[in-house]
Each structure stands twice: as structure tokens, then as C-alpha cells.
Amino acid sequence: REVKWLDIISQWDRYLLKKTSKIKAQCRKGIPASLRARCWPLLCGATQRMINNKDLYQTLDSSCALQCWVDVIERDIDRQFPFHEMFLSRDGHGYHCLSHYHSLSHCHSL
């Protein structure tokens, strides 16, 4: 079974265009645990979306955060982690790690 999946993965575009029934049949038989991490992104289309949106993360990461979202995140941190050592104080390690994103929210005012 693993050999068949390796063949499908190596020729994914060809199988997707002409042999979708073979992919379905192999899925019904099960995906070997050793290949699931490689198969699932192909099956759900994540691999293609990553290719199509190659620079999206860098673009979003370098853009300014909206203050409304920063407020939501800070409220959620207080609700979800009220006793977590990283977020016990505003000067703690957790808030320090988030300061990069918090400072991006203020770039609109610059």
C-alpha cells in the first residue's frame, strides 16, 4: 500500500487530472501513517494553496495590525490563560513576545 501511495504522491498532478478514481480507491483503503503528513495537504488542496499564496504570510506579517484585533487578542489571552505564568503580568514573557505584533498595530499613527 505504501508503494502505491509513493507513486501517487510522486505523480500527483497526473493522478489528479486523469486518475481521481484511483486516488479515491486508495483513500478508502487507507493512507499509511508514515505518509499521512505528505498526503493530507495534497488531498485537501493545501499544497496548491501554499504555492498560489507563496508570499502571503510575509505580506501579512509585515503589514500593520488593526487595533481592534489587537484588543481581541489581548482579551482572549486574559480569558484563556488567566493563570499561565507567561501572561500573569503585562511585563511577563508572554506579553513581551507579543509586543512585536502589538507595535505593528501602532504603525498607522506614524
Side-chain angles (χ1 to χ4, degrees), residues 74 77-96 98:
E74 287 180 355
I77 289 171
D78 291 340
R79 276 196 303 253
Q80 297 296 319
F81 307 109
F83 304 112
H84 195 288
E85 64 185 47
M86 290 180 66
F87 299 107
L88 283 176
S89 76
R90 292 279 176 179
D91 298 328
H93 180 69
Y95 281 103
H96 178 69
L98 292 174

Side-chain angles (χ1 to χ4, degrees), residues 2 13-14 18 21 24 27 32 34 38 56 59 78 81-82 85 98 103-104:
E2 196 165 323
D13 292 333
R14 187 172 72 89
K18 296 183 179 183
S21 59
K24 287 179 186 179
C27 284
S34 61
R38 291 172 60 190
L56 181 61
T59 302
D78 291 340
F81 307 109
E85 64 185 47
L98 292 174
S103 66
L104 288 177

Side-chain angles (χ1 to χ4, degrees), residues 16-79:
L16 194 59
L17 290 175
K18 296 183 179 183
K19 298 185 178 185
T20 55
S21 59
K22 173 114 173 150
I23 295 173
K24 287 179 186 179
Q26 286 302 117
C27 284
R28 288 187 184 115
K29 292 177 184 177
I31 301 169
S34 61
L35 296 175
R36 287 180 188 158
R38 291 172 60 190
C39 290
W40 280 114
L42 290 168
L43 289 166
C44 74
T47 302
Q48 190 59 46
R49 290 186 85 171
M50 286 173 49
I51 291 168
N52 294 345
N53 299 301
K54 186 176 69 169
D55 299 322
L56 181 61
Y57 177 79
Q58 288 79 9
T59 302
L60 294 173
D61 188 43
S62 65
S63 66
C64 298
L66 295 174
Q67 185 60 42
C68 63
W69 290 114
V70 173
D71 294 341
V72 169
I73 291 168
E74 287 180 355
R75 269 197 319 270
D76 278 350
I77 289 171
D78 291 340
R79 276 196 303 253

